[in-house]
Amino acid sequence: MTERTNLLGLDLHGLEAFFVELDEKPFRARQLLQWIHKYRIIDFAEMSNLSKSLREKLQAVAEIKLPEVMHEHISQDGTRKWIIKLSCGNAIETVFIPESGRGTLCVSSQVGCALTCTFCSTAQQGFNRNLDAAEIIAQLWIANEALGKDPKGNRVVTNVVMMGMGEPLANYSNVVTAMNLMRDDFGYGISWRRLTLSTSGIVPMIDKLREDCHVSLAISLHAANDELRDQIVPINQKYPIAELLAACKRYVVGQQRRHITVEYVMLDGINDSIQDAKDLVRLLKGLPNKINLIPFNPFPGTHYKCSSRNQIVRFQQYLIDQGLVATVRKTRGDDIVAACGQLAGEVQDKSRRSERMRAQEVVFHR
Ligand code: SAH
């Protein structure tokens, strides 16, 4: 028997093609999107505006399959983390962060990560595989199922950031399909202002994204010169800062009120001097931006320390004095290990990088 198609991971375009293939009208795609994503009905038998014969046909060739939630953790500050079980002993993490007036879901795009940013705990786990579009959108489905709507009838999850485990632009087509579903009015209806993709800087894919899917962009800059960025965000050796910022400028061209969020992790004694702040101001000239300073979140085995509170404030103030918008990201959910860069899941590491990193740690500690 051929495998049944999982409709969870098809966007409008994909579902229309699926129905045409079945000799059905493409408008069925919209009905299916609403059932799956708006009403979270996954049993074809309950889809009352489809004929009985179509429901039976769907039953035979398709399914709506969600991965299983292994654990849900709830932090004292209301942050929630779901650990979602995937095939072959892998698991990913999804985090919900409630704030006044909005609720943000931080979504993973890969099992582990193939990049080697030295301050990120996901990187230490190594890499297993890309998530498919169904596994990406399932995270939003699961969060909506758990959190539902507020008393006014609005969804509790109002914003999505592609900032969980993995590099989203290294899993391009699945991420774009899932983001299409997030944006689609028949899916989740999230506006591009409330949907942000964060990348470490895969330059050609930034250009492609500009063409394919209208979302807000964040870049993980973390250093104001190539020498340092080559070390802490090694993808910089391939796509150096000047190329990355040029791609960002192309990204915002012609888009009213669109800025790039620049993420900058505060690492004590590494990238947090006033000279670094000066270099940052110079670099970002001409790029509409907002800087988000992220206090470093430690994880077992790391040799980095977070900059002192004072130093973070000094750094921020310097940027503000120079006319930039700079905020400090609040650390949320650290009691359930759900903060930025702490998401580790369960990664069956095919790259064997975690082994190599452990070996390096031994040398480092000697
Ligand atoms: N790969 C993408 C998506 C991950 S987003 C990217 O690099 O942008 C997660 C954000 O948290 C990134 O800005 C990442 O650099 C940052 N981060 C990673 N490890 C961290 C840590 N230990 N403490 C604070 N922020 C961290």
Side-chain angles (χ1 to χ4, degrees):
M1 198 183 103
T2 50
E3 231 175 77
R4 294 195 287 171
T5 308
N6 187 4
L7 303 188
L8 183 67
L10 299 185
D11 60 9
L12 181 62
H13 189 70
L15 270 175
E16 283 177 347
F18 169 82
F19 278 111
V20 167
E21 184 94 345
L22 274 191
D23 243 345
E24 295 284 341
K25 294 276 188 306
F27 77 87
R28 297 285 180 206
R30 301 217 153 119
Q31 295 178 317
L32 252 292
L33 279 185
Q34 287 188 313
W35 282 119
I36 301 173
H37 299 285
K38 206 163 176 182
Y39 305 117
R40 290 189 301 283
I41 297 291
I42 56 173
D43 181 355
F44 295 121
E46 290 178 46
M47 300 182 178
S48 52
N49 59 0
L50 309 183
S51 69
K52 187 150 185 277
S53 66
L54 176 55
R55 281 182 265 157
E56 284 168 1
K57 204 160 152 189
L58 287 173
Q59 200 80 55
V61 299
E63 62 185 347
I64 299 163
K65 208 168 108 194
L66 283 140
E68 187 191 325
V69 175
M70 254 162 68
H71 297 288
E72 181 185 36
H73 300 281
I74 304 181
S75 159
Q76 305 215 326
D77 67 13
T79 301
R80 289 188 194 217
K81 177 166 91 170
W82 293 276
I83 301 183
I84 298 171
K85 190 173 162 184
L86 305 175
S87 57
C88 310
N90 289 305
I92 48 155
E93 303 189 357
T94 307
V95 176
F96 172 73
I97 306 142
E99 287 166 294
S100 68
R102 67 174 179 195
T104 304
L105 193 72
C106 180
V107 168
S108 294
S109 58
Q110 299 182 309
V111 184
C113 188
L115 303 183
T116 50
C117 304
T118 53
F119 51 84
C120 179
S121 133
T122 305
Q124 318 279 313
Q125 303 288 306
F127 177 72
N128 184 279
R129 66 172 174 85
N130 284 333
L131 297 185
D132 63 29
E135 290 165 331
I136 299 170
I137 202 66
Q139 298 171 63
L140 182 53
W141 195 100
I142 286 168
N144 273 307
E145 181 74 0
L147 299 164
K149 296 191 171 170
D150 65 15
K152 286 193 192 139
N154 299 318
R155 281 191 172 125
V156 172
V157 180
T158 58
N159 294 46
V160 172
V161 291
M162 296 302 301
M163 292 190 188
M165 296 167 67
E167 167 48 51
L169 292 187
N171 181 16
Y172 186 81
S173 67
N174 292 326
V175 165
V176 166
T177 301
M179 293 195 306
N180 286 341
L181 282 167
M182 294 172 191
R183 294 212 45 215
D184 199 311
D185 284 337
F186 293 92
Y188 297 86
I190 298 176
S191 104
W192 64 268
R193 287 190 181 79
R194 293 174 174 272
L195 173 55
T196 303
L197 180 144
S198 175
T199 179
S200 55
I202 320 268
V203 167
M205 291 297 144
I206 294 177
D207 285 317
K208 196 158 160 42
L209 186 69
R210 189 190 65 213
E211 305 288 322
D212 294 345
C213 190
H214 192 173
V215 295
S216 301
L217 186 68
I219 57 164
S220 291
L221 191 62
H222 304 319
N225 62 72
D226 281 321
E227 199 189 344
L228 178 60
R229 196 164 190 271
D230 278 351
Q231 285 174 39
I232 66 177
V233 184
I235 191 76
N236 194 67
Q237 295 163 19
K238 195 160 175 197
Y239 304 114
I241 293 174
E243 285 182 31
L244 172 58
L245 295 179
C248 290
K249 284 182 186 156
R250 292 192 291 275
Y251 196 83
V252 291
V253 163
Q255 303 290 346
Q256 274 179 356
R257 292 196 305 274
R258 193 171 356 190
H259 61 268
I260 303 281
T261 302
V262 175
E263 296 163 283
Y264 196 96
V265 65
M266 297 301 290
L267 300 168
D268 183 38
I270 306 277
N271 65 353
D272 64 349
S273 70
I274 292 303
Q275 185 58 47
D276 290 306
K278 268 186 196 160
D279 293 345
L280 193 54
V281 172
R282 192 174 33 79
L283 273 183
L284 296 180
K285 262 207 186 99
L287 176 70
N289 70 82
K290 283 188 183 168
I291 302 171
N292 198 207
L293 303 174
I294 315 176
F296 170 66
N297 292 305
F299 51 88
T302 181
H303 52 275
Y304 291 115
K305 284 211 292 285
C306 183
S307 309
S308 69
R309 185 74 219 157
N310 268 348
Q311 191 56 21
I312 296 177
V313 170
R314 228 176 291 151
F315 197 95
Q316 179 192 22
Q317 197 54 51
Y318 182 86
L319 298 174
I320 291 173
D321 290 345
Q322 299 300 310
L324 293 171
V325 177
T327 51
V328 178
R329 189 176 292 177
K330 269 208 209 105
T331 297
R332 301 289 303 265
D334 50 348
D335 55 335
I336 55 167
V337 201
C340 297
Q342 290 186 320
L343 303 188
E346 258 332 302
V347 180
Q348 305 306 316
D349 180 17
K350 284 190 172 157
S351 63
R352 302 187 61 185
R353 174 146 34 80
S354 46
E355 250 168 63
R356 291 200 302 275
M357 279 196 165
R358 268 196 296 275
Q360 278 168 10
E361 283 292 330
V362 173
V363 175
F364 184 81
H365 285 302
R366 230 182 262 158

